[in-house]
Amino acid sequence: MGLFFSWMFGKQDRFFAMLRHQVDVACEAAETLDRFIGDYDSITSAQRAERVQVIKDLEHKGDRIVHAVINRLNSSFITPIDKEDLHTLATLLDDITDDITTFSTRLLILHVPKVDETIRKFSSVILSMAKEVRVCVYRLEKVRNIHNHALTVHRLEHEADELFREALFRLFSKKGNPFHIIQYKEVYEHLEAIADTCDHTMRALESVSMKRD
């Protein structure tokens, strides 16, 4: 009987390990993006493409983890938390990486010539949010309090909203080149989407955490 429970709980622990692996990938994508944004104006188009490819590779890694989680969910009759919650968390964590990939790819597609201070601030906010999410994912298995980290993420999401509104106001106040306006408007929208996804992920983590208290 002891061996059975050891085997069973060992299988359940793997779900938490997968979620930790998934959030590590998301954080690595956020860190890679932040370095990319920091270097953007000083590197060549070819080097920019190389940086984007690194992020794309992380996206593929995240996709593989999601598929592994789903496959394990389909073959497991006991899980440490609700199956739907596990699926939601794995998917949202993967969405962070996916959104970062979409944004970085858009920089190339739109031929964005340089990044401005708003983009740099957004990148820093997103990295901070991803790190807070990672702390909470790592605390999930031991049912540790995540309230303060959640508040930090929600505050950062509001900060991102303010950045977005202020950036659009400045952009449309200049009445400049229409193509320039289209370029940067789309860039800002994608950055806001990443911040929103981080916030949605934290809210899902809060929900799961409350169920485990």
Side-chain angles (χ1 to χ4, degrees), residues 158-179:
H158 289 309
E159 186 177 327
D161 284 344
E162 283 298 315
L163 280 173
F164 180 66
R165 284 191 288 267
E166 291 170 3
L168 287 187
F169 180 80
R170 287 194 301 271
L171 190 62
F172 286 97
S173 295
K174 292 178 181 178
K175 299 179 181 178
N177 185 321
F179 180 65

CSV table of all heavy atoms in Angstrom, one decimal, residues 158-179:
chain,number,residue,atom,x,y,z
A,158,HIS,N,-2.0,47.6,-14.0
A,158,HIS,CA,-2.6,49.0,-14.1
A,158,HIS,C,-1.5,49.9,-14.6
A,158,HIS,O,-1.8,50.8,-15.4
A,158,HIS,CB,-3.0,49.4,-12.7
A,158,HIS,CG,-4.3,48.7,-12.2
A,158,HIS,ND1,-5.4,48.6,-13.0
A,158,HIS,CD2,-4.6,48.1,-11.1
A,158,HIS,CE1,-6.4,48.0,-12.3
A,158,HIS,NE2,-5.9,47.6,-11.2
A,159,GLU,N,-0.3,49.7,-14.2
A,159,GLU,CA,0.8,50.5,-14.7
A,159,GLU,C,1.0,50.4,-16.3
A,159,GLU,O,1.2,51.4,-17.0
A,159,GLU,CB,2.1,50.1,-14.1
A,159,GLU,CG,3.3,51.0,-14.4
A,159,GLU,CD,4.6,50.6,-13.6
A,159,GLU,OE1,4.4,50.2,-12.4
A,159,GLU,OE2,5.7,50.8,-14.1
A,160,ALA,N,0.8,49.1,-16.7
A,160,ALA,CA,0.9,48.9,-18.2
A,160,ALA,C,-0.3,49.6,-18.9
A,160,ALA,O,-0.1,50.1,-20.0
A,160,ALA,CB,0.8,47.4,-18.4
A,161,ASP,N,-1.5,49.6,-18.3
A,161,ASP,CA,-2.6,50.2,-18.9
A,161,ASP,C,-2.4,51.7,-19.0
A,161,ASP,O,-2.7,52.3,-20.1
A,161,ASP,CB,-3.9,50.0,-18.0
A,161,ASP,CG,-4.5,48.6,-18.2
A,161,ASP,OD1,-4.1,47.9,-19.1
A,161,ASP,OD2,-5.3,48.2,-17.3
A,162,GLU,N,-1.7,52.3,-18.0
A,162,GLU,CA,-1.4,53.7,-18.1
A,162,GLU,C,-0.4,54.0,-19.1
A,162,GLU,O,-0.5,55.0,-19.9
A,162,GLU,CB,-0.9,54.2,-16.7
A,162,GLU,CG,-2.0,54.4,-15.7
A,162,GLU,CD,-3.0,55.5,-16.1
A,162,GLU,OE1,-2.6,56.6,-16.5
A,162,GLU,OE2,-4.2,55.2,-15.9
A,163,LEU,N,0.6,53.2,-19.2
A,163,LEU,CA,1.6,53.3,-20.3
A,163,LEU,C,1.0,53.3,-21.7
A,163,LEU,O,1.3,54.1,-22.5
A,163,LEU,CB,2.7,52.2,-20.2
A,163,LEU,CG,3.8,52.3,-19.2
A,163,LEU,CD1,4.6,51.0,-19.1
A,163,LEU,CD2,4.7,53.5,-19.5
A,164,PHE,N,0.0,52.4,-21.8
A,164,PHE,CA,-0.7,52.2,-23.1
A,164,PHE,C,-1.5,53.5,-23.5
A,164,PHE,O,-1.4,54.0,-24.6
A,164,PHE,CB,-1.6,51.0,-23.1
A,164,PHE,CG,-2.3,50.7,-24.4
A,164,PHE,CD1,-1.7,50.4,-25.5
A,164,PHE,CD2,-3.7,50.8,-24.4
A,164,PHE,CE1,-2.3,50.2,-26.7
A,164,PHE,CE2,-4.4,50.6,-25.5
A,164,PHE,CZ,-3.7,50.3,-26.7
A,165,ARG,N,-2.3,54.0,-22.5
A,165,ARG,CA,-3.1,55.1,-22.8
A,165,ARG,C,-2.2,56.4,-23.1
A,165,ARG,O,-2.5,57.1,-24.0
A,165,ARG,CB,-4.0,55.4,-21.6
A,165,ARG,CG,-5.2,54.4,-21.5
A,165,ARG,CD,-6.2,54.9,-20.4
A,165,ARG,NE,-5.7,54.7,-19.1
A,165,ARG,CZ,-5.9,53.6,-18.4
A,165,ARG,NH1,-6.6,52.6,-18.9
A,165,ARG,NH2,-5.4,53.5,-17.1
A,166,GLU,N,-1.2,56.6,-22.3
A,166,GLU,CA,-0.3,57.7,-22.5
A,166,GLU,C,0.4,57.6,-23.8
A,166,GLU,O,0.6,58.6,-24.5
A,166,GLU,CB,0.7,57.8,-21.3
A,166,GLU,CG,0.1,58.2,-20.0
A,166,GLU,CD,1.1,58.0,-18.9
A,166,GLU,OE1,2.2,57.7,-19.1
A,166,GLU,OE2,0.7,58.2,-17.7
A,167,ALA,N,0.8,56.4,-24.2
A,167,ALA,CA,1.6,56.2,-25.5
A,167,ALA,C,0.6,56.5,-26.6
A,167,ALA,O,1.1,57.2,-27.6
A,167,ALA,CB,2.1,54.8,-25.6
A,168,LEU,N,-0.6,56.1,-26.6
A,168,LEU,CA,-1.5,56.4,-27.7
A,168,LEU,C,-1.9,57.9,-27.8
A,168,LEU,O,-2.0,58.4,-28.9
A,168,LEU,CB,-2.8,55.6,-27.5
A,168,LEU,CG,-2.8,54.1,-27.7
A,168,LEU,CD1,-4.2,53.5,-27.6
A,168,LEU,CD2,-2.2,53.7,-29.1
A,169,PHE,N,-2.0,58.5,-26.6
A,169,PHE,CA,-2.3,59.9,-26.6
A,169,PHE,C,-1.2,60.7,-27.3
A,169,PHE,O,-1.4,61.6,-28.1
A,169,PHE,CB,-2.4,60.4,-25.2
A,169,PHE,CG,-2.7,61.9,-25.1
A,169,PHE,CD1,-4.0,62.4,-25.3
A,169,PHE,CD2,-1.7,62.8,-24.8
A,169,PHE,CE1,-4.3,63.7,-25.2
A,169,PHE,CE2,-2.0,64.2,-24.7
A,169,PHE,CZ,-3.3,64.6,-24.9
A,170,ARG,N,0.1,60.4,-27.0
A,170,ARG,CA,1.2,61.0,-27.6
A,170,ARG,C,1.3,60.7,-29.1
A,170,ARG,O,1.6,61.6,-29.9
A,170,ARG,CB,2.5,60.6,-26.9
A,170,ARG,CG,2.7,61.2,-25.5
A,170,ARG,CD,4.2,61.0,-25.1
A,170,ARG,NE,4.5,59.6,-25.0
A,170,ARG,CZ,4.4,58.8,-24.0
A,170,ARG,NH1,3.8,59.3,-22.9
A,170,ARG,NH2,4.7,57.6,-24.0
A,171,LEU,N,1.0,59.5,-29.4
A,171,LEU,CA,1.2,59.0,-30.8
A,171,LEU,C,0.2,59.8,-31.7
A,171,LEU,O,0.6,60.3,-32.8
A,171,LEU,CB,0.9,57.5,-30.9
A,171,LEU,CG,1.2,56.8,-32.2
A,171,LEU,CD1,2.7,56.9,-32.5
A,171,LEU,CD2,0.8,55.4,-32.1
A,172,PHE,N,-1.1,59.9,-31.3
A,172,PHE,CA,-2.1,60.6,-32.1
A,172,PHE,C,-2.1,62.1,-32.0
A,172,PHE,O,-2.7,62.8,-32.8
A,172,PHE,CB,-3.4,60.0,-31.8
A,172,PHE,CG,-3.7,58.6,-32.3
A,172,PHE,CD1,-3.5,57.5,-31.5
A,172,PHE,CD2,-4.0,58.4,-33.6
A,172,PHE,CE1,-3.7,56.2,-32.0
A,172,PHE,CE2,-4.2,57.1,-34.1
A,172,PHE,CZ,-4.0,56.0,-33.3
A,173,SER,N,-1.3,62.6,-31.0
A,173,SER,CA,-1.3,64.1,-30.8
A,173,SER,C,-0.3,64.7,-31.8
A,173,SER,O,-0.4,65.8,-32.2
A,173,SER,CB,-0.8,64.4,-29.4
A,173,SER,OG,-1.8,64.1,-28.5
A,174,LYS,N,0.7,63.9,-32.3
A,174,LYS,CA,1.7,64.4,-33.1
A,174,LYS,C,1.3,64.6,-34.6
A,174,LYS,O,1.8,65.4,-35.3
A,174,LYS,CB,2.9,63.4,-33.1
A,174,LYS,CG,3.7,63.3,-31.8
A,174,LYS,CD,4.8,62.3,-31.9
A,174,LYS,CE,5.5,62.2,-30.5
A,174,LYS,NZ,6.6,61.2,-30.6
A,175,LYS,N,0.2,63.9,-35.0
A,175,LYS,CA,-0.3,63.9,-36.4
A,175,LYS,C,0.9,63.8,-37.4
A,175,LYS,O,1.0,64.5,-38.3
A,175,LYS,CB,-1.0,65.3,-36.6
A,175,LYS,CG,-2.2,65.5,-35.7
A,175,LYS,CD,-2.8,66.8,-35.9
A,175,LYS,CE,-4.0,67.0,-35.0
A,175,LYS,NZ,-4.7,68.3,-35.1
A,176,GLY,N,1.6,62.7,-37.1
A,176,GLY,CA,2.8,62.5,-38.0
A,176,GLY,C,2.5,61.6,-39.1
A,176,GLY,O,1.3,61.4,-39.6
A,177,ASN,N,3.5,60.8,-39.6
A,177,ASN,CA,3.4,59.9,-40.7
A,177,ASN,C,2.4,58.8,-40.3
A,177,ASN,O,2.5,58.1,-39.3
A,177,ASN,CB,4.8,59.3,-40.9
A,177,ASN,CG,4.8,58.3,-42.1
A,177,ASN,OD1,3.8,57.6,-42.3
A,177,ASN,ND2,5.8,58.4,-42.9
A,178,PRO,N,1.3,58.6,-41.1
A,178,PRO,CA,0.3,57.6,-40.8
A,178,PRO,C,0.9,56.2,-40.6
A,178,PRO,O,0.4,55.4,-39.8
A,178,PRO,CB,-0.6,57.6,-42.0
A,178,PRO,CG,-0.5,59.0,-42.5
A,178,PRO,CD,1.0,59.3,-42.3
A,179,PHE,N,1.9,55.8,-41.4
A,179,PHE,CA,2.5,54.5,-41.3
A,179,PHE,C,3.2,54.4,-39.9
A,179,PHE,O,3.2,53.3,-39.3
A,179,PHE,CB,3.5,54.3,-42.4
A,179,PHE,CG,4.2,52.9,-42.4
A,179,PHE,CD1,3.4,51.7,-42.5
A,179,PHE,CD2,5.5,52.8,-42.1
A,179,PHE,CE1,4.0,50.5,-42.4
A,179,PHE,CE2,6.1,51.6,-42.0
A,179,PHE,CZ,5.4,50.4,-42.2
